[in-house]
């Protein structure tokens, strides 16, 4: 068999990857050597692989600089409406390859490093992931930055430069162990510190009411030091900015109240202030009400708003520089998009600036605030909703608490007028929740303070209107919108799956990279045997490559002819990794019962991090690895069933495993997964989906045709109906023998022979208080999996379904609307024209 082409070789075949012209290559080599000498201060005798990575990164970075400066200058001069995407998470992953792809430099760099005797892919693998996110929410922010730059929008990402991102996960004896993610240890070539733009952020203190206004005094100050990272658009010469703030203690920190011998301690205590940007909270879909987290949330908001208002005031009109003093036009020039409620403090902070500092009336300030801000909801799970205790606020942000009370007073007044005497409605809609401990409901604050509220998939946007935000929808129906999530096709196809990108380009040309609806043209080739063969071949090559990667890095050998059944996402009860476990055990028991039957071989890979404080999630990981320890070493099973736990799932691992997947597991309880974005990455990369009618799966089925996915289980309506009568796990357990056998095995220590009661909490949960109704979907899930196994035996039929999926995935990687915030049509049009000027190379 001929050796499969390497990714580099494939890339050379694709002209859209940029020409490796002789001049380009010669220049790159010169600059690489210059950086090795002047920047890294090394020669080739002593340079390490990491030095070569940094030399290459700096060489590529040089190509961003001119475009970056010109783009920002252009924004300053043309003064378009700016989009500010505020997020506590930006799950960026690596930057080098993405930059080369978007600048069409990949082929030239590949050739240059080759001529220098280096392997570019090996150098790329040295880059640390920027893991400043937990999962889908943070990755969405990163994808939006790429898309907004590619659309030519004057967009900025604003967040925190965590010194430690999401922890690194090790698996020791089958248990998750966390390690600190010291991603900045060797330096970050993609960021530029801007100490000249440092801004003060105030905490604590007290509020004074004077005749001439309100003063917030005796505060503690922490400085916010910005670091800028370039965000290049796809081959449009645009480079936007992601600005991340780092906390810095002022020089006089703790030294003002002078006490003898206090100097050394005061310097040591600078850490206290600087801890604000130390570490990302590692919870996905879970609220942890810690003071340090609230500080992080206000820190990013306060620093960012100073930037926004400074930039608004000092823009240019035509050729004349102006200093705007009138803030009433702010909503015409600024859109602030809140990624979940995490940056919700933007709303009271805008009010504080407009009322206390700029001295606007409350009414005028409120109108500006609402027209500027918009809020994206990411979940309906109650444990994920931010509800901050009043006491914390009173102490840390006393003025903001007053402002929130005033917002609520006026909001309650309005509702009371609309619904006289409906006290229960007032209680339900209040921003303040009464109880043992008074709390602020941040989602309510965001809805009231925004002109637009969106869910992240059609089903989710419908659910928020009919359930958690029903009362708000009733009074402001026009506020509520849907913006189904999407992914960037640059990272999630061109970059991670060049073989597939190429096979598509061979049939429909490379225009689909800009106009993604054109993927539909692939439907013409659904019966074309050569195309079917090409698609299947790319998948097989990707599987071989991933199998080799697993063998090299994790010392596990897998059968590349088996079905790669992949379930990667954060470990969470609602995502139902336990349902997958029950399928694995069922398959195992069936093979043991009839070892001579021709079973479809499967390699089941499950990966994901558990929040360090989430006990059940950690037990789920231990259960998966324990099942693997029994199944993988059973000689009767052989290589017909293998269970692999993919350690340390992160963006870079996603880029490796998703192109190799045959089957994508998207099996959350209907109504719990707001959208999912992993599901779209798999669809685009030629995996078939087994999934519930939840999140964006619903729209994926609509786009590809439901017959081309394996849809099973309860619909939202079924779940709701079951909640009314009550879910009885025991009934399923007693009725379904294979389910009973699996549960009895877990409970009886079959998978944990040295500790028979190891999984008693999990069994107890499944049997008696399972919020996510695993057993209720067991039977249909197993039946759907049987259909998957049967179809896999017919590669041609399988691949035809794959083609339907790829052809139908355009919806999820096109941002059809440039703004997440609705804008008046006239304005939107001029905005488009602005956009068009930028794209048409006016730079
Ligand atoms: C896309 C992605 C996610 C989100 O996956 P879901 O299946 O939508 O939860 C999480 N983590 C990483 C690293 C991702 O790339």
């Amino acid at each position: 068999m001929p050796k499969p082409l390497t990714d580099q070789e494939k890339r050379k075949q694709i002209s859209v990857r940029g020409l490796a012209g002789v001049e380009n290559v010669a220049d790159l080599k010169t600059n690489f050597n210059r950086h090795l000498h002047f920047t890294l201060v090394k020669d080739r005798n002593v340079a390490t692989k990491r030095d070569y990575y940094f030399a290459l990164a700096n060489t590529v970075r040089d190509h961003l600089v001119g475009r970056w400066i010109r783009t920002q200058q252009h924004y300053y001069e043309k003064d378009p409406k700016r989009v500010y995407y505020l997020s506590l998470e930006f799950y960026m992953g690596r930057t080098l390859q993405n930059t080369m792809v978007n600048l069409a430099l990949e082929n030239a760099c590949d050739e240059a490093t080759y001529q220098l005797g280096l392997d570019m892919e090996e150098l790329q693998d040295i880059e640390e992931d920027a893991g400043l996110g937990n999962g889908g929410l943070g990755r969405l922010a990163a994808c939006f930055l790429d898309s907004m730059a590619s659309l030519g929008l004057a967009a900025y990402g604003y967040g925190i430069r965590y010194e430690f991102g999401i922890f690194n996960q090790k698996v020791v004896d089958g248990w998750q162990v966390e390690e600190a993610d010291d991603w900045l240890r060797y330096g970050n070539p993609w960021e530029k510190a801007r100490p000249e733009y440092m801004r003060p952020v105030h905490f604590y203190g007290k509020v004074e009411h004077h005749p001439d206004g309100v003063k917030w005094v005796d505060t503690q100050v922490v400085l916010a030091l910005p670091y800028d990272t370039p965000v290049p658009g796809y081959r449009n010469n645009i480079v936007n900015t992601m600005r991340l703030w780092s906390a810095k203690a002022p020089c006089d920190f703790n030294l003002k109240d002078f006490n003898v011998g206090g100097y050394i301690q005061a310097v040591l205590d600078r850490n206290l202030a600087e801890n604000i940007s130390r570490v990302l909270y590692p919870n996905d879909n879970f609220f942890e009400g810690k003071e340090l987290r609230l500080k992080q949330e206000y820190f990013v908001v306060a620093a960012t708003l100073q930037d926004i208002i400074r930039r608004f005031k000092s823009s240019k009109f035509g050729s004349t520089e102006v200093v705007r003093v009138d803030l009433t036009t702010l909503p015409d020039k600024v859109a602030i998009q809140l990624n979940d409620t995490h940056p919700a403090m933007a709303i009271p902070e805008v009010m504080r600036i407009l009322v206390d500092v700029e001295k606007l009336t409350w009414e005028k300030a409120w109108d500006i605030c609402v027209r500027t801000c918009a809020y994206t909801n990411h979940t309906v799970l109650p444990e994920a909703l931010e509800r901050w205790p009043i006491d914390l606020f009173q102490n840390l942000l006393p003025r903001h608490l007053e402002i929130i009370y005033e917002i609520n007073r006026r909001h309650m007044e309005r509702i009371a007028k609309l619904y006289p005497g409906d006290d229960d409605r007032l209680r339900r809609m209040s921003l303040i929740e009464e109880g043992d401990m008074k709390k602020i409901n941040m989602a309510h604050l965001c809805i009231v303070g925004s002109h637009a509220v969106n869910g992240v998939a059609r089903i989710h946007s419908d659910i928020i209107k009919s359930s958690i935000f029903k009362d708000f929808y009733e009074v402001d129906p026009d506020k509520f919108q849907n913006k189904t999530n999407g992914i960037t096709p640059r990272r999630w196809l061109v970059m991670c799956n060049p073989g597939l990108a190429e096979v598509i380009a061979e049939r429909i040309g490379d225009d689909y990279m800009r106009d993604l609806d054109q993927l539909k043209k692939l439907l013409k080739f659904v019966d074309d045997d050569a195309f079917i063969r090409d698609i299947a071949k790319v998948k097989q090559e990707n599987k071989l490559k991933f199998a080799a990667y697993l063998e090299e890095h994790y010392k596990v050998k897998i059968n590349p002819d088996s079905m790669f059944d992949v379930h990667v996402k954060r470990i969470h009860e609602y995502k139902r990794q336990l349902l997958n476990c029950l399928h694995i055990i069922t398959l195992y028991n069936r093979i043991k019962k009839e070892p001579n039957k021709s079973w479809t071989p499967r390699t089941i890979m499950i990966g994901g991090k558990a929040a360090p404080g989430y006990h059940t999630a950690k037990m789920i990981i231990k259960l998966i690895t324990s099942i693997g320890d029994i199944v993988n070493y059973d000689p009767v099973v052989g290589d017909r069933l293998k269970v692999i736990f993919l350690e340390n799932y992160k963006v870079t691992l996603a880029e490796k495993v998703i192109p190799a997947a045959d089957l994508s597991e998207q099996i959350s309880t209907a109504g719990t997964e707001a959208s999912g974005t992993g599901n779209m990455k798999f669809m685009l990369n030629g995996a078939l989906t087994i999934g519930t009618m939840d999140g964006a799966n619903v729209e994926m089925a609509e786009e590809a045709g439901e017959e081309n996915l394996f849809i099973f289980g309860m619909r939202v309506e079924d779940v709701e109906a079951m909640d009314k009568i009550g879910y009885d796990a025991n009934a399923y357990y007693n009725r379904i023998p294979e389910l009973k056998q699996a549960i009895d095995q877990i409970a009886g220590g079959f998978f944990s022979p040295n500790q028979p009661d190891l999984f008693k909490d999990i069994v107890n949960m499944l049997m008696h208080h399972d919020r996510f109704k695993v057993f209720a979907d067991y039977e249909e899930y197993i039946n759907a999996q049987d259909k998957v196994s049967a179809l896999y035996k017919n590669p041609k039929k399988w691949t035809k379904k794959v083609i339907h999926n790829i052809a139908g995935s355009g919806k999820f990687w096109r941002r059809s609307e440039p703004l997440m915030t609705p804008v008046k049509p006239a304005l939107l049009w001029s905005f488009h024209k602005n956009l068009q000027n930028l794209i048409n190379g006016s730079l």
Side-chain angles (χ1 to χ4, degrees):
M1 198 177 104
K3 250 186 77 177
L5 296 179
T6 65
D7 281 356
Q8 264 101 340
E9 285 164 328
K10 270 176 241 151
R11 271 179 213 119
K12 284 192 187 123
Q13 304 176 331
I14 305 173
S15 61
V16 292
R17 287 174 173 276
L19 299 169
V22 180
E23 286 162 42
N24 271 343
V25 173
D27 280 355
L28 287 167
K29 280 162 69 183
T30 306
N31 288 323
F32 179 96
N33 287 324
R34 184 171 55 79
H35 275 298
L36 192 65
H37 184 84
F38 287 105
T39 311
L40 282 307
V41 197
K42 288 279 181 85
D43 67 47
R44 291 207 61 172
N45 295 314
V46 292
T48 63
K49 287 269 158 62
R50 181 168 284 105
D51 292 322
Y52 293 135
Y53 158 68
F54 277 114
L56 179 59
N58 279 291
T59 304
V60 170
R61 177 190 167 278
D62 289 347
H63 288 256
L64 287 166
V65 171
R67 293 174 166 102
W68 198 4
I69 290 172
R70 281 200 301 279
T71 302
Q72 300 309 312
Q73 187 187 349
H74 183 85
Y75 292 160
Y76 179 72
E77 284 167 4
K78 289 279 171 346
D79 197 34
K81 185 167 180 174
R82 273 33 175 231
V83 180
Y84 293 99
Y85 198 77
L86 268 62
S87 179
L88 271 281
E89 303 187 14
F90 286 93
Y91 204 171
M92 302 295 281
R94 289 179 180 156
T95 295
L96 174 58
Q97 194 190 359
N98 183 249
T99 307
M100 293 189 297
V101 164
N102 282 13
L103 265 45
L105 277 175
E106 203 177 18
N107 279 334
C109 287
D110 199 10
E111 184 60 30
T113 45
Y114 176 77
Q115 290 182 15
L116 289 162
L118 299 166
D119 175 3
M120 190 165 81
E121 206 168 332
E122 200 182 331
L123 300 189
Q124 284 172 186
D125 250 339
I126 290 167
E127 182 174 354
E128 298 271 353
D129 273 42
L132 310 186
N134 276 288
L137 176 150
R139 185 54 234 175
L140 183 75
C143 281
F144 274 150
L145 294 189
D146 182 274
S147 292
M148 289 191 290
S150 296
L151 285 166
L153 296 179
Y156 302 76
Y158 270 94
I160 295 177
R161 179 182 178 269
Y162 299 108
E163 194 177 328
F164 295 89
I166 187 66
F167 62 86
N168 281 311
Q169 177 192 57
K170 289 275 152 64
V171 177
V172 179
D173 292 335
W175 298 96
Q176 168 174 297
V177 175
E178 299 89 23
E179 280 185 3
D181 167 43
D182 194 4
W183 71 296
L184 295 166
R185 178 164 33 199
Y186 298 102
N188 175 3
W190 306 108
E191 67 182 11
K192 177 75 187 85
R194 303 277 193 201
E196 69 275 27
Y197 301 135
M198 204 138 63
R199 304 188 183 285
V201 175
H202 298 259
F203 294 102
Y204 304 107
K206 58 178 200 266
V207 182
E208 290 177 357
H209 290 260
H210 299 279
D212 59 333
V214 177
K215 289 205 172 87
W216 181 19
V217 297
D218 298 341
T219 55
Q220 291 181 23
V221 173
V222 178
L223 299 174
L225 165 60
Y227 285 77
D228 289 350
T229 299
V231 180
Y234 182 68
R235 298 180 194 184
N236 59 0
N237 289 326
I238 282 171
V239 180
N240 284 343
T241 302
M242 174 176 72
R243 177 163 282 185
L244 303 181
W245 302 101
S246 180
K248 196 98 178 86
C251 295
D252 61 359
F253 187 77
N254 260 5
L255 284 165
K256 274 175 279 184
D257 8 71
F258 191 80
N259 55 339
V260 181
Y263 166 70
I264 294 290
Q265 197 54 48
V267 175
L268 297 180
D269 285 350
R270 293 170 60 83
N271 268 325
L272 268 33
E274 294 174 359
N275 277 343
I276 289 177
S277 57
R278 195 76 68 205
V279 58
L280 167 77
Y281 273 87
N283 303 313
D284 186 68
N285 279 296
F286 185 77
F287 170 58
E288 192 180 340
K290 290 284 189 325
E291 187 188 56
L292 181 60
R293 169 72 179 192
L294 184 57
K295 280 185 177 169
Q296 290 182 337
E297 294 184 352
Y298 180 64
F299 176 73
V300 58
V301 158
T304 302
L305 274 164
Q306 292 177 59
D307 241 23
I308 292 174
I309 291 190
R310 175 195 52 78
R311 196 172 288 124
F312 170 77
K313 284 185 171 176
S314 68
S315 279
K316 244 176 159 180
F317 273 138
S319 58
T320 48
E321 291 192 39
V322 289
V323 180
R324 287 203 190 88
V325 282
D326 179 13
L327 283 150
T328 53
T329 59
L330 190 79
D332 301 332
K333 289 293 179 187
V334 171
I336 296 176
Q337 190 69 38
L338 307 176
N339 195 20
D340 213 308
T341 59
H342 311 153
M345 290 303 293
I347 290 163
E349 178 69 359
V350 166
M351 291 302 289
R352 190 186 68 81
I353 294 169
L354 295 184
V355 174
D356 294 356
V357 183
E358 301 286 340
K359 308 289 182 195
L360 267 63
T361 64
W362 182 279
E363 290 73 15
K364 216 164 190 175
W366 184 245
D367 176 65
I368 294 169
C369 175
V370 171
R371 288 196 292 128
T372 304
C373 295
Y375 156 58
T376 303
N377 172 273
H378 282 270
T379 180
V380 295
L381 293 182
E383 65 269 34
L385 302 179
E386 291 196 295
R387 292 149 72 245
W388 287 103
I390 293 278
D391 298 347
L392 260 182
F393 252 86
Q394 181 66 264
N395 185 37
L396 189 68
L397 299 165
R399 177 55 182 152
H400 296 81
L401 182 60
E402 287 185 353
I403 290 170
I404 290 169
Y405 273 129
E406 179 60 15
I407 294 171
N408 195 46
R409 191 186 66 74
R410 289 163 184 258
H411 163 58
M412 290 285 94
E413 207 170 82
R414 173 177 175 231
I415 303 302
K417 266 202 196 110
L418 290 169
Y419 301 92
D422 193 345
D423 287 352
D424 196 56
R425 183 180 298 264
L426 288 180
R427 182 191 57 73
R428 293 197 307 268
M429 295 184 74
S430 177
L431 310 192
I432 314 293
E433 293 181 356
E434 306 287 339
D436 293 348
M437 201 195 289
K438 272 203 196 179
K439 288 175 176 161
I440 305 175
N441 185 316
M442 302 304 271
H444 291 186
L445 172 62
C446 285
I447 298 170
V448 172
S450 299
H451 64 280
V453 177
N454 74 284
V456 289
R458 194 211 297 139
I459 188 175
H460 166 66
S461 298
D462 288 343
I463 287 171
I464 63 178
K465 289 191 284 189
S466 63
S467 64
I468 53 170
F469 304 147
K470 184 169 188 280
D471 294 323
F472 293 90
Y473 176 62
E474 261 176 46
V475 295
D476 290 311
D478 296 340
K479 247 189 206 186
F480 288 79
Q481 304 190 10
N482 173 243
K483 291 283 170 285
T484 298
N485 278 170
I487 55 175
T488 162
R490 272 71 64 182
R491 183 174 295 263
W492 298 111
L493 179 66
V494 183
M495 227 179 99
C496 72
N497 201 342
L500 182 58
E502 144 92 7
V503 165
I504 296 171
E506 274 174 14
R507 295 315 194 285
I508 63 170
D510 53 39
D511 237 26
Y512 75 93
M513 310 237 183
R514 290 164 213 284
D515 176 14
L516 304 160
D517 270 340
Q518 294 193 25
L519 276 181
K520 288 205 180 78
K521 290 186 190 166
L522 290 176
L523 289 175
K524 276 203 305 242
F525 300 93
V526 76
D527 294 315
D528 178 333
D529 284 341
F531 186 59
I532 293 170
R533 238 183 294 119
D534 285 353
I535 291 283
K537 185 161 156 266
V538 167
K539 180 61 72 181
Q540 196 54 33
E541 288 168 5
N542 291 342
K543 289 172 72 174
L544 283 171
K545 188 173 175 190
F546 188 67
Y549 170 84
L550 280 186
E551 200 170 334
E552 186 186 332
H553 293 269
Y554 298 97
K555 313 287 170 236
V556 288
K557 249 187 134 102
I558 58 175
N559 172 10
D561 294 323
S562 62
M563 179 201 307
F564 285 11
D565 172 346
V566 183
H567 197 177
V568 285
K569 48 184 76 247
R570 288 297 291 259
I571 309 292
H572 208 298
E573 284 162 89
Y574 86 82
K575 293 177 183 277
R576 297 202 296 192
Q577 282 89 1
L578 285 171
L579 184 55
N580 194 339
C581 287
L582 293 177
H583 173 243
I584 299 171
I585 297 171
T586 303
L587 274 186
Y588 174 74
N589 289 333
R590 286 179 180 179
I591 295 172
K592 293 286 277 188
K593 201 168 162 198
E594 297 181 85
N596 297 320
K597 223 176 129 176
S598 92
W599 301 100
T600 302
R602 285 199 196 219
T603 302
I604 300 178
M605 301 182 232
I606 306 179
K609 290 171 185 174
Y614 188 176
H615 175 250
T616 305
K618 289 185 145 176
M619 289 307 299
I620 292 171
I621 291 176
K622 179 61 178 172
L623 177 62
I624 296 163
T625 56
S626 301
I627 294 170
D629 288 342
I630 298 296
V631 170
N632 297 347
Y633 299 99
D634 191 322
V636 174
V637 172
D639 67 0
R640 294 180 295 182
L641 180 59
K642 288 275 182 261
V643 181
I644 311 285
F645 187 82
L646 292 176
E647 191 181 66
N648 206 27
Y649 180 59
K650 56 178 176 175
V651 173
T652 297
L653 187 52
E655 289 164 14
K656 293 180 201 291
V657 68
I658 291 172
D662 293 304
L663 186 66
S664 160
E665 301 267 354
Q666 307 298 338
I667 59 177
S668 52
T669 315
T672 64
E673 186 75 272
S675 164
T677 50
N679 47 4
M680 302 162 189
K681 300 169 196 164
F682 282 99
M683 182 186 192
L684 178 58
N685 280 278
L688 296 187
T689 301
I690 183 163
T692 47
M693 275 298 195
D694 199 18
N697 297 354
V698 177
E699 289 156 81
M700 285 164 49
E702 187 172 292
E703 295 294 309
E706 193 170 330
E707 67 282 7
N708 296 308
L709 288 80
F710 300 94
I711 297 292
F712 72 95
M714 294 180 288
R715 311 305 201 244
V716 170
E717 299 75 27
D718 303 323
V719 175
E720 284 168 358
M722 185 172 286
D723 280 331
K724 290 221 176 81
I725 58 171
Y727 163 63
D728 178 9
N730 207 50
Y732 297 96
Y733 171 84
N734 286 321
R735 181 170 61 76
I736 309 168
E738 286 187 301
L739 173 60
K740 179 171 189 306
Q741 184 188 5
I743 294 298
D744 290 350
Q745 285 168 316
I746 300 171
F750 184 87
F751 299 106
S752 52
N754 298 325
Q755 209 180 325
D757 64 352
L758 183 60
F759 300 115
K760 66 171 193 304
D761 290 351
I762 284 190
V763 171
N764 187 47
M765 181 273 289
L766 287 171
M767 295 292 294
H768 302 295
H769 45 88
D770 177 7
R771 293 169 58 204
F772 302 106
K773 305 181 177 66
V774 170
F775 293 3
D777 277 340
Y778 170 83
E779 229 172 3
E780 274 202 43
Y781 179 55
I782 299 294
N783 290 339
Q785 287 285 20
D786 290 345
K787 286 186 191 147
V788 171
S789 288
L791 187 72
Y792 196 74
K793 289 190 166 146
N794 187 335
K796 193 165 163 180
K797 274 194 177 169
W798 179 280
T799 305
K800 283 187 181 192
K801 284 194 195 288
V802 166
I803 294 167
H804 278 283
N805 273 272
I806 298 171
S809 63
K811 171 168 184 174
F812 306 105
W813 38 310
R814 183 195 64 228
R815 307 307 317 158
S816 53
E817 294 134 298
L819 264 185
M820 303 193 59
T821 314
V823 185
K824 285 190 221 98
L827 213 95
L828 190 64
W829 172 236
S830 63
F831 202 81
H832 270 299
K833 281 197 284 194
N834 256 329
L835 208 157
Q836 221 49 51
N837 289 339
L838 286 169
I839 290 173
N840 292 345
S842 65
L843 286 180

